Amino acid sequence: MTGPQNLETKARHVKATWSRHCNVVLFMSSVQDENFPTIGLGTKEGRDQLYWKTIRAFQYVHKHHFEQADWFLKADDDTFVVVDNLRWLISNYTPDTPIYFGKRFRPFAKQGYMSGGAGYILSKEALRRFVAGFDSKVCSHTTSVEDLALGQCMEKMGVVAGDSRDTEGRETFHPFVPESHLTEKFSKNFWYWNYCYYPIVE
């Protein structure tokens, strides 16, 4: 996920680094740019457009690239992914299992939902069900809070919110910049304490 204003400042660094370890890489934007290249989703820019961009991006991927991959990662242009670690995480699951992974938050959905800032990855079956949810009108654009809305749709469509912690119980998806997680102490009245599905280890 990117925007026209971020191609040179953010997206090009994603293009030059971790995304090269993916099988297929698509840069989604509000407008098409054949030079970068980006796929235009026909939306506006801004936080209130994030869920529309996500819906249309997954619909586009389902229509044009569904058979090219088993797992589908959504990441923003300020996200860094260690792709080998991600492959290791999903190696215990099959793509026909309706499951998705990310940084799991607790409120507003029975099984929780995945933080958009940390990125999340859908199995092939999870992507199929997400798109089917909009085709059948079971899911709709309910709120501009993209990650929560996606999580609520997943729950309705029977897609499981997976446990993305490693074999030692450590989180593998992180919503803040690395130094926040490594060196900062979160104030006890910071919203993060109430949102995290699993206990926070400082």
Side-chain angles (χ1 to χ4, degrees), residues 38-196:
T38 62
I39 294 156
L41 298 171
T43 62
K44 298 187 179 84
E45 286 295 331
R47 284 194 74 81
D48 61 333
Q49 294 293 308
L50 287 179
Y51 195 36
W52 276 124
K53 282 177 86 171
T54 300
I55 294 164
R56 290 184 180 163
F58 278 135
Q59 287 172 334
Y60 180 94
V61 168
H62 183 264
K63 184 176 180 180
H64 298 284
H65 299 276
F66 191 63
E67 297 307 326
Q68 288 181 266
D70 293 326
W71 295 86
F72 300 86
L73 169 70
K74 180 261 178 191
D76 294 329
D77 54 19
D78 60 356
T79 305
F80 190 90
V81 180
V82 182
V83 178
D84 283 351
N85 289 358
L86 186 59
R87 290 182 193 280
W88 180 256
L89 169 70
I90 60 177
S91 65
N92 292 317
Y93 301 88
T94 59
D96 57 358
T97 305
I99 195 166
Y100 81 127
F101 297 98
K103 166 64 181 177
R104 196 168 173 189
F105 282 160
R106 179 183 302 281
F108 312 118
K110 284 189 192 129
Q111 66 174 2
Y113 66 97
M114 303 307 170
S115 157
Y120 42 77
I121 186 163
L122 282 62
S123 69
K124 193 167 200 151
E125 177 61 14
L127 174 61
R128 189 194 69 74
R129 290 192 186 194
F130 179 72
V131 171
F134 283 89
D135 290 344
S136 64
K137 306 272 193 295
V138 170
C139 298
S140 60
H141 186 287
T142 50
T143 170
S144 59
V145 184
E146 169 247 343
D147 48 9
L148 171 59
L150 182 128
Q152 290 173 334
C153 176
M154 291 297 194
E155 195 165 272
K156 287 178 188 169
M157 297 305 294
V159 177
V160 173
D163 185 347
S164 61
R165 292 176 297 173
D166 69 12
T167 50
E168 295 182 32
R170 297 172 302 195
E171 299 264 10
T172 57
F173 288 74
H174 307 284
F176 306 129
V177 295
E179 54 265 34
S180 287
H181 293 285
L182 290 168
T183 64
E184 289 177 18
K185 287 276 187 195
F186 297 122
S187 163
K188 292 298 180 192
N189 57 12
F190 186 42
W191 61 267
Y192 191 61
W193 289 96
N194 294 324
Y195 270 64
C196 287

